[in-house]
Each structure stands twice: as C-alpha cells, then as structure tokens.
Amino acid sequence: MIIVLEPQATEEQIKRVAERVREFGFEVHISRGVERTILGVIGDRDKDQLAQAVEAMAGVEKTVPILHPFKLASLEFHPERTAVRVGPVVIGLENLVVMAGPCAVESEEQIILTARAVQAAGAQILRGGAYKPRTSPYAFQGLQKEGLKMLAAARAATGLPVVSEVMNPRDVELVGEYVDMLQIGARNMQNFSLLREVGRFGKPVLLKRGLAATIEEWLMAAEYILSEGNYQVVLCERGIRTFETMTRNTLDVGAIAVVKALSHLPVVADPSHAAGKWRWVGALAKAALAAGADGLLIEVHPDPERALSDGPQSLNFANFASLMQSLAPLAGALGRRLEVPSAQAV
Ligand code: PEP
Ligand code: MN
C-alpha cells in the first residue's frame, strides 16, 4: 500500500503518519517527489485497518493498494526514477551508457587493449569476467583474483570504471574491492544469499535476468538487494530460454518496456548473450534501445576466434566501433544521447 500525502502536507504531518504506520508494525519508506511525498508501507499482513486509520489523518490525501509483490523496486512506491552512479558514469539519465569488453579477462594485454579500443569507440564502462559461470566444470573458469587485478590495471590505464561478475557470497568483498559495479549473473539471479550480500555491501549492482525468470521474479530479486538498503541497482535483460535455437536466447524486448513502466530502476540490455552470434548483436542492440533501455552491455574481443569464452558472439574492435557509430543517431531519434567519437578518430 502507498499513502499519498496532500501537496501541502507539513513535515510534522508526514512524521506523524509515518509513526502511525510503524505503530501498526509495518515498515515505512518515504519518497519525496517534487510535487508530493509518498509513504510506502512494507509488510506482509493485511493493511485494511491501517488504511482506515491513516485516511482520517491530517495531510493524507488517499491510500492506494499495491497489487505487485515488489515494493521498493516499484515505480508506484518510488515515483522518482533512480540514477545509478558507477564511478564517474551515471546510468538512468538521458544519456545512454554502453558497457563493453570481453566475456572473460584472459591477460593484462588483452584487457588493456580491449579497454582502449572500446573507450575510443565510445563505451563508458569496461566489462570483463574474472569468475565465469560455465556450464561445464572443465571449461575455462576465469582468472579469478588475477583477473580482478588485470581489470584494475585496465581501469588505471584508461579511467574506465569496471563491472565484473561475483558468483559467491564469500567473494563479494574481494570482487567489490577491485570493481566499480558487481554483476549478478543470470544463473545466480535467485541466489538469495548472494543478493542479500551485495545489498549489504552497497556498491552498484548489475542484476541480470535469469534464463527462465518471469519479470516479477526478476523484480523480486532486485527487491532483495533494495531491502538491504542498496538502491544502486541496474536491471539487465539478457535473453530468456524459449523453443528457438537459431539464437542462443530470445531477447525479451517487451520486458524492457514493461520493466521501465513498473520500476524506477534503470534497465540495460545485453544483446550479446541473447544473440549468441555476433551478426545479430547490432539489430538486438537497436531494438533494445528503441524499447527504452538505458544502455547496453556488449561483448568485445580483440580476436574473437581465439577467445576463451563466448567468442562466437563477441564483436571485434572494428565491428564494435561501427555499431557505436550507428547507435548515435538512433539515440538522438529516441530523445536520448550517446556521445561517440567521430569515425576518423576510431
Ligand atoms: C556474462 O556476462 O559473461 C554472463 C555469463 O552472462 P549471463 O549471466 O547473462 O549468462
Ligand atoms: Mn559471456
């Protein structure tokens, strides 16, 4: 339930209503908008009596039941859109943010070379996996702590903030020490102890949608992080499992529009893991932006044929630079901004 206060409600009245909510045994979340203040009521129990009590109080305009189980993640509860700050970069404003880099960090040369190339093409955040969730235990698992150090070296060389996946609650502190944003992978979207741990840790989180998760389950996963007090969450649509096999996953473009309507959190898309093949990445990237995505996560490798993971879906430097060139005018047509250096400079 939300409690909508009158535009002229005083601070004293707001305080009294919040106290009343707590007396009933519920938690309260205060959202101060430009026009008016909204109190979100959190708790599992029936709220009818509370609604009657507060509707009689000075300063209260009305109460509105919230039908969705996610509260802190919902736009109704929190009508101001959230902007997430990753180092010097802000996700969720008019400008679009592109995060790019290899699936896995393979060597210091590879990550620094890629960081320079994606930066020259207009990417603002470097991605790179140090802990890789591989389907096979015999496949390359990532360079782990050495990989994190290489990411930090690439950040020092370019100034790009970095995002990297954390797979285990035990590693949150270690990964969090090296990266600017913690990625929760699709396979861990419902690892609730990991979600709580990154919520407590407090650094920005990139929360990927699970392979077979509904939009509601995805937003409930975000709710776990928010409920620990960390509002710096960016949602990432990366394709879901369907009967289709020509693409690795099916990019749920509709989910991007739906989540933008349901939640105040920024949403980005990962066309690389959705496509599974580099040839389809550009088309999916454009579709995602048209649906309202606030940015993109794209896999780029200096030599995709020799990549240790996800080579077939990785763009080489030239293809990434030309995709970025084609996204800039699209951003303008969508009323967004994407600053891409001129083609000659790339
Ligand atoms: C990745 O970003 O490299 C990755 C493993 O993604 P996902 O969790 O979406 O499969
Ligand atoms: Mn990958």
Side-chain angles (χ1 to χ4, degrees):
M1 180 176 93
I2 56 173
I3 302 168
V4 181
L5 294 151
E6 285 168 351
Q8 65 276 14
T10 65
E11 275 308 308
E12 192 49 40
Q13 288 169 337
I14 296 171
K15 210 172 119 208
R16 251 184 267 132
V17 178
E19 270 164 20
R20 196 82 182 96
V21 174
R22 290 193 197 96
E23 276 166 27
F24 269 80
F26 293 103
E27 270 183 61
V28 64
H29 175 268
I30 305 182
S31 178
R32 289 173 201 279
V34 186
E35 303 269 302
R36 60 177 78 219
T37 296
I38 285 174
L39 300 188
V41 180
I42 304 164
D44 253 353
R45 286 175 302 107
D46 186 76
K47 300 179 186 76
D48 284 357
Q49 281 191 332
L50 172 66
Q52 280 178 23
V54 296
E55 275 182 10
M57 292 179 80
V60 173
E61 185 179 298
K62 60 180 175 184
T63 62
V64 183
I66 302 273
L67 302 175
H68 300 294
F70 44 88
K71 313 282 180 206
L72 302 176
S74 92
L75 190 60
E76 281 168 302
F77 228 75
H78 190 289
E80 302 281 299
R81 293 215 171 260
T82 292
V84 174
R85 184 174 285 281
V86 184
V89 180
V90 183
I91 308 174
L93 301 180
E94 185 194 343
N95 62 302
L96 299 172
V97 174
V98 177
M99 313 179 213
C103 179
V105 179
E106 298 170 2
S107 69
E108 191 165 310
E109 296 88 291
Q110 174 241 25
I111 195 67
I112 292 181
L113 191 64
T114 309
R116 293 213 163 101
V118 298
Q119 182 174 44
Q124 291 161 278
I125 297 178
L126 175 67
R127 66 144 286 150
Y131 293 83
K132 295 305 305 174
R134 305 307 298 279
T135 302
S136 165
Y138 310 119
F140 174 58
Q141 304 286 308
L143 297 179
Q144 307 188 358
K145 190 171 177 183
E146 288 313 301
L148 295 174
K149 290 184 184 161
M150 292 169 191
L151 277 170
R155 177 182 43 214
T158 58
L160 290 178
V162 301
V163 55
S164 194
E165 178 164 354
V166 58
M167 289 170 52
N168 191 316
R170 284 196 307 267
D171 295 332
V172 169
E173 263 193 45
L174 173 68
V175 180
E177 198 186 306
Y178 287 94
V179 306
D180 302 281
M181 182 180 221
L182 292 158
Q183 177 174 323
I184 301 292
R187 291 156 193 80
N188 268 318
M189 189 206 81
Q190 285 188 316
N191 181 338
F192 300 116
S193 39
L194 180 61
L195 297 174
R196 284 202 191 278
E197 201 56 45
V198 296
R200 281 193 284 267
F201 191 70
K203 274 211 173 168
V205 178
L206 181 68
L207 177 62
K208 289 196 147 194
R209 181 180 182 185
L211 282 73
T214 64
I215 292 172
E216 188 174 292
E217 286 163 342
W218 186 19
L219 290 171
M220 290 307 284
E223 192 81 10
Y224 265 88
I225 304 171
L226 269 49
S227 70
E228 293 294 335
N230 184 359
Y231 271 68
Q232 295 287 288
V233 176
V234 175
L235 299 162
C236 178
E237 163 60 41
R238 47 78 72 203
I240 50 173
R241 279 268 166 98
T242 67
F243 52 81
E244 186 51 71
T245 55
M246 290 283 183
T247 49
R248 182 176 177 184
N249 292 286
T250 297
L251 185 72
D252 188 357
V253 178
I256 298 167
V258 171
V259 167
K260 289 294 293 184
L262 291 178
S263 178
H264 54 91
L265 297 172
V267 185
V268 300
D270 168 356
S272 304
H273 289 86
K277 291 192 188 78
W278 70 268
R279 284 180 61 198
W280 316 131
V281 169
L284 297 187
K286 290 170 193 157
L289 295 184
D294 296 296
L296 298 165
L297 180 74
I298 299 180
E299 286 190 340
V300 178
H301 193 283
D303 187 1
E305 277 176 40
R306 290 191 177 75
L308 296 182
S309 68
D310 287 349
Q313 70 196 30
S314 299
L315 299 185
N316 62 26
F317 295 166
N319 286 335
F320 178 67
S322 84
L323 172 60
M324 291 295 284
Q325 292 293 324
S326 71
L327 295 181
L330 174 62
L334 293 167
R336 309 292 294 257
R337 230 167 2 90
L338 179 65
E339 272 160 44
V340 174
S342 67
Q344 290 86 330
V346 174

